[in-house]
């Protein structure tokens, strides 16, 4: 059996409710992927989404 995690890499909001930048969201996603590798997980899945709140948009967007 393999163990892993999955994320859309959503863009977080600041305390004032404003969306953080896409660059910050991608950076956070990258940090999560690195941490998953360091903890020994077998995979980290990144899903695409079709909204502006998610940095991993589909190529058709």
């Amino acid at each position: 059996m393999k163990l892993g995690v999955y994320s859309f890499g959503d863009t977080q909001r600041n305390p004032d409710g404003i969306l953080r930048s896409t660059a910050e969201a991608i950076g956070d996603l990258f940090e999560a992927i690195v941490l998953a590798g360091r903890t020994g997980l077998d995979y980290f899945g990144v899903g695409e989404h079709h909204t502006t709140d998610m940095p991993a948009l589909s190529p058709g967007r």
Side-chain angles (χ1 to χ4, degrees), residues 13-18:
R13 294 186 181 272
N14 290 322
D16 60 5
I18 304 291

Side-chain angles (χ1 to χ4, degrees), residues 24-49:
E24 289 176 297
I26 296 293
D28 291 345
L29 184 59
F30 180 76
E31 286 180 28
I33 292 167
V34 170
L35 180 61
R38 287 185 182 152
T39 60
L41 291 176
D42 296 304
Y43 68 90
F44 192 106
V46 178
E48 69 177 356
H49 210 282

Side-chain angles (χ1 to χ4, degrees), residues 6-12 22 25-26 29 44-47 53-56:
Y6 182 85
S7 175
F8 284 118
D10 60 313
T11 304
Q12 299 295 310
T22 299
I26 296 293
L29 184 59
F44 192 106
V46 178
D53 292 355
M54 305 291 176

